[in-house]
Amino acid sequence: MYHPRLYGSFHEMGLKYGTLLSEKANFKIPPMNSQRLDFGLQSYRELKTFYPEVVEEIEGFAQGIGDRPERLGAFLLSLGVLGTTGQCSVFAFANGDSVIMARNYDMLFEYKKFTESSLIAPTDKYAYISQSDVFIGRADGINEKGLSIAMSFVNGTETRPGISFHFIIRKVLENCDSTEKAVALIRNTKVSSANNFLIADRNGSIAVVESAPQKSNIRYPKEGKPFLYITNQFISPQMKVFDRGKVEWSQSFERYDHLKRSLLSLKTMDMKKAKGILSDKCICLNLKKERFGTIWSVVANLNTLQIERAETLPKVTNYKPETRLDWWLKKTKM
């Protein structure tokens, strides 16, 4: 897993990282067929309206690798929409004085070589720690305001040119300090594919946005059950019509039911308990035949901004502290 530290203007961050990957890894944009290129170019035009600042980052990155921003944007905005997508487990639990979030990201093991955990601190935006298997786009993260967001793929019935989850998560982390604001942002976004988004903030507000190009729905914790959890299907009756299913191979329903049982059995949550749940063989995928499984896990206390990450199949004992956000916040206060 790579561990870049990116800060400054959006263009500066893009140029720095693009130049680094070009010089150190000879990075080139992979070939795209005409369907993917056309879908990506249409989505890139949408991104210019949705988040023009991140387009500046794409332009800087493209300059660093010596390619056109449009090709890079088309590549990024078709990832996870028209290709292989992860299968994930996520939950958040609100105690009286703390909120714990936890996530497993499950993907083809070959994608391990592309994974990165980044400190990103754009000028005049919130700083955050986030994970991904693609540069620029994000799959989950925790920002300086104690807001967390993580996605899980749903096998939707339709895709449309629009904004992929990678850039929705970027905009949430960089601009939102509450679950309410994040929910509103997602609901007003022209999304390109079906996903669950689990959002939590340090005040104990937790929500799941079940999001599809056709419609979205919000779920909140039930009374007396201060937690929510997601795997890879829609739960709300009104959203199931937009879910084609066929995720049995990744044990999505079994993972969902096990999360439910585990969370119902607990009155409080801490990071050790969260790591234990993520490490359980019923939650942590290790599908050797498919060469597919958990390639990173993250747990965090949103009130203290304590973050720990396992960069392989998780065990309670193999998480390491993540200190870069604390370093950045202290640095900028000096």
Side-chain angles (χ1 to χ4, degrees):
M1 182 173 263
Y2 298 101
H3 301 88
R5 303 184 186 206
L6 302 171
Y7 42 87
S9 72
F10 283 86
H11 188 273
E12 288 171 340
M13 292 192 299
L15 179 60
K16 175 183 176 180
Y17 203 23
T19 301
L20 178 66
L21 290 184
S22 178
E23 292 178 350
K24 300 297 184 182
N26 193 31
F27 176 80
K28 304 291 183 185
I29 299 172
M32 292 175 280
N33 60 32
S34 59
Q35 177 196 16
R36 182 169 177 180
L37 180 61
D38 182 62
F39 184 96
L41 288 174
Q42 290 185 64
S43 297
Y44 188 56
R45 289 193 286 271
E46 296 287 345
L47 185 66
K48 289 180 178 180
T49 300
F50 174 73
Y51 204 10
E53 296 95 326
V54 86
V55 171
E56 296 175 13
E57 186 171 342
I58 291 172
E59 292 171 346
F61 193 102
Q63 180 182 341
I65 64 173
D67 211 320
R68 292 183 294 112
E70 293 79 9
R71 264 179 41 84
L72 178 60
F75 170 73
L76 292 169
L77 285 153
S78 58
L79 282 172
V81 179
L82 302 179
T84 303
T85 306
Q87 307 284 303
C88 307
S89 303
V90 190
F91 69 87
F93 194 112
N95 299 297
D97 59 354
S98 65
V99 180
I100 304 296
M101 70 78 60
R103 95 96 97 239
N104 278 355
Y105 186 80
D106 305 322
M107 191 54 160
L108 291 166
F109 288 135
E110 64 185 77
Y111 275 67
K112 284 183 180 181
K113 58 187 176 184
F114 302 115
T115 59
E116 59 182 45
S117 174
S118 305
L119 166 69
I120 301 179
T123 302
D124 297 327
K125 302 287 186 181
Y126 296 137
Y128 57 99
I129 293 292
S130 64
Q131 286 64 232
S132 184
D133 53 15
V134 60
F135 52 90
I136 299 183
R138 305 288 96 190
D140 57 60
I142 302 100
N143 73 14
E144 65 178 273
K145 295 298 182 178
L147 179 107
S148 73
I149 180 171
M151 54 71 62
S152 70
F153 163 77
V154 175
N155 189 21
T157 58
E158 187 176 333
T159 59
R160 299 176 186 174
I163 310 303
S164 68
F165 68 82
H166 298 102
F167 292 99
I168 293 170
I169 288 176
R170 279 285 308 252
K171 189 166 184 178
V172 165
L173 289 169
E174 292 166 5
N175 294 275
C176 297
D177 60 1
S178 71
T179 296
E180 180 183 12
K181 291 178 182 178
V183 167
L185 189 157
I186 297 170
R187 295 203 78 175
N188 290 315
T189 298
K190 182 179 178 181
V191 303
S192 58
S193 63
N195 293 281
N196 291 310
F197 295 93
L198 194 154
I199 308 146
D201 66 29
R202 67 196 318 164
N203 295 318
S205 178
I206 305 172
V208 168
V209 183
E210 297 183 339
S211 175
Q214 304 97 318
K215 187 178 180 180
S216 65
N217 185 65
I218 316 302
R219 294 194 287 116
Y220 295 100
K222 295 179 180 179
E223 186 175 354
K225 299 175 182 177
F227 52 79
L228 283 174
Y229 47 97
I230 56 174
T231 53
N232 300 103
Q233 64 275 336
F234 288 144
I235 299 302
S236 303
Q238 61 267 47
M239 293 300 293
K240 289 184 178 181
V241 67
F242 308 122
D243 182 353
R244 71 173 73 243
K246 299 182 180 180
V247 292
E248 291 83 1
W249 68 273
S250 70
Q251 302 168 18
S252 180
F253 300 101
E254 291 89 342
R255 286 184 283 119
Y256 187 88
D257 289 341
H258 191 78
L259 283 175
K260 179 180 180 179
R261 290 193 298 272
S262 298
L263 297 172
L264 282 172
S265 71
L266 297 171
K267 293 184 178 180
T268 62
M269 178 65 64
D270 58 31
M271 291 180 62
K272 184 177 180 180
K273 292 175 184 176
K275 287 186 280 187
I277 292 172
L278 293 184
S279 303
D280 190 289
K281 65 180 181 180
C282 294
I283 302 297
C284 173
L285 286 184
N286 185 14
L287 307 177
K288 295 180 180 179
K289 181 180 178 181
E290 293 84 358
R291 296 192 53 77
F292 194 102
T294 302
I295 59 176
W296 78 71
S297 298
V298 178
V299 298
N301 181 321
L302 302 184
N303 298 80
T304 64
L305 295 183
Q306 180 184 358
I307 305 167
E308 296 186 20
R309 184 177 52 256
E311 298 181 1
T312 183
L313 291 171
K315 302 177 182 178
V316 174
T317 56
N318 70 353
Y319 285 77
K320 294 182 179 179
E322 167 56 71
T323 61
R324 288 171 296 167
L325 183 58
D326 182 62
W327 167 82
W328 173 257
L329 295 176
K330 290 178 179 177
K331 172 185 172 71
T332 54
K333 289 180 181 179
M334 293 176 62

